[in-house]
Amino acid sequence: QVQLVESGGGLVQLGGSLRLSCGASGFTFSTYATSWYRQAPGKERELVAKISSSGSTYYADSVKGRFTISRDNFRNTVYLQMNSLESEDTAVYYCNAARRGATYWGQGTQVTVSS
């Protein structure tokens, strides 16, 4: 059974930090590109950061220099370190794993940045 389970969300003050984790099971995690998406109320889901199976990374312009994506293939886990959080970062964050012919999503974790 394929599962992606996010954790680490919560309420944080403006300028603070959070680390999201996404644990995977039921598929060969190391062969999948993994990503973090987010969806704010009334907005479409957007790609935040991506890390390929080989470790190449991509970041949305809005988070460059503040967020860092990483993966631990031994633990089947992908992380998103979020620093200098802004109110615009408030959203539900979703973990995604994908490769040709298969895409999996987690259930999401809420991140709320308060001022």
Side-chain angles (χ1 to χ4, degrees):
Q1 181 184 358
V2 171
Q3 279 193 314
L4 289 173
V5 180
E6 300 99 336
S7 62
L11 179 64
V12 62
Q13 287 192 333
L14 200 63
S17 298
L18 278 177
R19 187 195 198 202
L20 305 183
S21 300
C22 173
S25 60
F27 62 100
T28 311
F29 176 79
S30 63
T31 66
Y32 281 66
T34 52
S35 305
W36 288 95
Y37 285 74
R38 67 186 181 189
Q39 187 166 19
K43 294 189 177 181
E44 293 188 354
R45 191 174 296 190
E46 62 174 354
L47 175 63
V48 174
K50 178 179 179 178
I51 184 165
S52 71
S53 57
S54 62
S56 300
T57 57
Y58 162 85
Y59 296 94
D61 286 343
S62 58
V63 306
K64 275 182 185 175
R66 300 189 298 121
F67 289 11
T68 303
I69 189 170
S70 60
R71 64 189 297 162
D72 183 336
N73 289 335
F74 180 76
R75 291 181 171 84
N76 287 351
T77 301
V78 59
Y79 304 97
L80 186 67
Q81 178 66 44
M82 305 186 295
N83 298 328
S84 302
L85 283 161
E86 304 170 353
S87 56
E88 292 78 13
D89 297 318
T90 294
V92 178
Y93 284 70
Y94 296 91
C95 177
N96 170 278
R99 73 175 190 185
R100 197 179 308 168
T103 302
Y104 306 123
W105 290 93
Q107 292 301 305
T109 185
Q110 176 70 47
V111 171
T112 303
V113 183
S114 69
S115 55

